[in-house]
Amino acid sequence: METKVEQIITADWLIPMTQADHWIENAGLLIRGTEIIAVDKLDILTEKYPEVSHTHLEGQALLPGFINSHCHAAMNLLRGLSDDLPLKQWLEEAIWPVEAQFVDNSFVYQGTQHAIAEMLRSGTTCFQDMYFMPDQAAKAVKESGIRASIGMVVVEFETSWAQNAQDCIDKGLDVFDQFKHSPTINFNFAPHAPYTVEKTTLEKLGMLSNELSLPLQMHIHETAYEVETFIEAHGVRPLTRLKEIGLISPLLNAVHMTQLNEGEIEWLADGGSHVIHCPQSNMKLSSGVCPTKQLLEAGVNIALGTDGAASNNDLDMIDEIRSTALLAKLDYLDPTAMSAYESLYAATMGGAKALGLQESIGSLEAGKLADFISIDLNCIETQPVYNPVSQIVYAAGREQVSNVWVNGKQLMSNRKLKTLNSDLILQNARHWRNKIINR
């Protein structure tokens, strides 16, 4: 029988995300194989387990890895292609035509590799994807060692991935069957939006989501224009349509949600649905502001996503966490609207709950999987440290993420990626840039 390697990792601060504004000084984790066995003070761990290899990260903080609950990973290859446009014009005139011409297996595989490298360097240990060729995304995830929930994307129109909605579903389920036993890959259904997916298709997806207990993520109420045109076409708001067909449930991951009224917030709370807040993409595309304070007060779980690098233009979860806190304070003219801890929670436990993985990841507790990161606070920009949670949210940068572990395996050590070829990723990015710009 294979012996599971044990190791103790400690740091000056440990932020377990198990209770508000709580951290432990000079503490760490006992890891055995893929699992956290114990969380305790440094002296207790080393005294109790003297034979176990011990690494102390001086001046650093240990915390759960970030969970990017909504992105379009392969769109890293479209970063900066067409900026400063409204969402509708950006999609219809800039993005969709390029995707129709260039998106293929190589594009998605190499673009997802690029995104994974950026996410690991930013402290993300798990992401929820929504893009074409989910088999290629899953392949990149499996090879890199990161954790992901791969979206089985569904649209009605023909794409380079599938001919129609039913073809999307059939091909997606084939990918699900192919990778469902991977220890770091989960799946979700990913219908694009109520305005691009027919009611009958959504009803079918709702049934499949319930049968397989898989989350269903969808862009919903992203802009006022989207809501207005849906009302003109169907006589009801998009969320009303989803309520009518029973999709407002604990399996729903409602992405963006900038246009909500009080009744709709109650529906989400009563249904146990999750809202995926993408503040920077929403600001950049001028889509609106998600009412985070009202959602939290109603008891709705909030998770954070970056959206794609084509509309953000990065996959930096620390920046997203900071934007979440600051935007809420400005939106409500209330400095208490979203605290540093609440924003950090949305990026860790909030994401785990949305993906249905709260029993496995999202906090540092005995019995959970060893998905965690260290952030180096021992630099001019983040000293002195009075409160490591506030320091990470309001002062730290992603370049201070020093080490990343997923499933007990170290994927980045002192800023060096261990499972990905950075030079090849950069070479591939330049290759796609040249193809697209010379189209």
Side-chain angles (χ1 to χ4, degrees):
M1 183 178 294
E2 182 181 354
T3 302
K4 292 185 177 180
V5 175
E6 290 186 332
Q7 54 183 323
I8 293 173
I9 312 292
T10 61
D12 286 9
W13 302 274
L14 183 140
I15 306 168
M17 300 308 296
T18 53
Q19 53 183 301
D21 296 317
H22 170 66
W23 63 88
I24 312 170
E25 296 190 1
N26 291 308
L29 311 170
L30 170 66
I31 309 298
R32 181 181 299 144
T34 62
E35 187 179 340
I36 299 171
I37 302 301
V39 181
D40 219 323
K41 298 280 287 184
L42 183 157
D43 54 354
I44 294 174
L45 288 172
T46 53
E47 181 180 343
K48 192 171 181 180
Y49 306 98
E51 75 287 354
V52 177
S53 172
H54 172 216
T55 301
H56 183 72
L57 302 172
E58 186 173 354
Q60 302 195 38
L62 291 176
L63 63 157
F66 302 131
I67 299 171
N68 185 347
S69 295
H70 178 70
C71 74
H72 311 283
M75 292 184 80
N76 258 47
L77 295 178
L78 303 180
R79 187 198 325 262
L81 175 65
S82 186
D83 288 330
D84 304 324
L85 294 173
L87 175 62
K88 185 175 186 294
Q89 183 182 357
W90 177 77
L91 281 172
E92 294 178 359
E93 298 179 15
I95 297 302
W96 286 347
V98 171
E99 287 182 324
Q101 184 175 353
F102 291 102
V103 171
D104 59 14
N105 285 343
S106 295
F107 180 99
V108 175
Y109 175 66
Q110 293 174 8
T112 305
Q113 282 186 317
H114 191 164
I116 291 170
E118 180 179 356
M119 285 191 276
L120 288 174
R121 284 165 54 86
S122 306
T124 293
T125 55
C126 179
F127 69 100
Q128 182 167 229
D129 197 25
M130 178 191 277
Y131 208 62
F132 308 110
M133 287 75 170
D135 56 328
Q136 297 302 311
K139 178 184 173 185
V141 167
K142 186 175 182 179
E143 292 173 354
S144 72
I146 199 171
R147 193 179 305 281
S149 178
I150 303 295
M152 294 177 277
V153 70
V154 179
V155 291
E156 300 289 346
F157 49 86
E158 184 175 1
T159 67
S160 53
W161 164 241
Q163 295 180 349
N164 51 43
Q166 187 58 54
D167 198 24
C168 287
I169 294 170
D170 293 340
K171 287 186 172 181
L173 289 172
D174 286 343
V175 177
F176 169 71
D177 286 336
Q178 182 182 349
F179 289 94
K180 65 183 178 183
H181 297 300
S182 170
T184 57
I185 297 177
N186 297 87
F187 285 87
N188 64 83
F189 289 103
H192 174 259
Y195 63 88
T196 53
V197 181
E198 297 293 339
K199 181 179 180 181
T200 53
T201 302
L202 290 175
E203 289 172 336
K204 184 178 298 183
L205 290 171
M207 179 185 67
L208 289 169
S209 174
N210 285 322
E211 285 181 359
L212 297 172
S213 296
L214 296 180
L216 189 151
Q217 66 159 320
M218 182 171 19
H219 304 105
I220 307 171
H221 288 212
E222 185 171 359
T223 66
Y225 175 82
E226 171 202 330
V227 175
E228 291 164 3
T229 54
F230 194 89
I231 292 171
E232 290 175 7
H234 303 284
V236 296
R237 289 164 66 87
L239 204 61
T240 303
R241 165 63 54 82
L242 301 186
K243 186 175 188 295
E244 289 172 350
I245 58 180
L247 289 189
I248 299 181
S249 79
L251 292 173
L252 179 63
N253 281 201
V255 184
H256 296 300
M257 301 296 269
T258 70
Q259 314 292 318
L260 288 172
N261 58 43
E262 289 185 9
E264 290 166 338
I265 291 174
E266 283 185 27
W267 294 349
L268 296 168
D270 292 343
S273 299
H274 312 271
V275 168
I276 314 299
H277 181 32
C278 303
Q280 291 199 332
S281 177
N282 290 342
M283 286 190 283
K284 182 169 181 283
L285 293 169
S286 194
S287 298
V289 183
C290 178
T292 50
K293 180 182 178 183
Q294 290 163 272
L295 288 165
L296 287 177
E297 289 174 346
V300 177
N301 178 56
I302 295 176
L304 300 187
T306 57
D307 212 350
S311 65
N312 186 311
N313 291 11
D314 58 44
L315 306 181
D316 181 353
M317 283 294 287
I318 291 181
D319 216 13
E320 216 69 47
I321 294 164
R322 180 177 301 127
S323 294
T324 296
L326 298 180
L327 183 59
K329 297 174 193 301
L330 178 62
D331 186 35
Y332 290 97
L333 299 179
D334 177 3
T336 70
M338 193 92 173
S339 70
Y341 183 86
E342 287 171 326
S343 297
L344 187 58
Y345 184 94
T348 51
M349 273 304 294
K353 289 178 178 179
L355 274 59
L357 300 175
Q358 66 271 26
E359 300 301 320
S360 302
I361 61 174
S363 61
L364 301 183
E365 301 178 71
K368 286 200 168 185
L369 295 174
D371 290 14
F372 63 103
I373 64 175
S374 66
I375 297 178
D376 190 352
L377 300 178
N378 193 32
C379 59
I380 294 293
E381 291 79 7
T382 47
Q383 286 289 327
V385 178
Y386 299 108
N387 179 326
V389 173
S390 289
Q391 208 73 331
I392 289 168
V393 173
Y394 295 128
R398 63 176 169 177
E399 69 280 356
Q400 290 171 254
V401 177
S402 54
N403 299 281
V404 175
W405 291 261
V406 176
N407 227 30
K409 180 179 180 180
Q410 191 166 11
L411 303 186
M412 186 171 77
S413 175
N414 295 316
R415 297 291 299 163
K416 182 174 177 59
L417 296 174
K418 302 184 71 172
T419 60
L420 290 163
N421 186 330
S422 299
D423 291 338
L424 180 59
I425 287 169
L426 290 171
Q427 179 182 319
N428 290 336
R430 288 190 287 268
H431 163 77
W432 284 106
R433 182 263 182 195
N434 291 337
K435 284 187 69 170
I436 292 169
I437 205 167
N438 291 317
R439 65 189 185 278

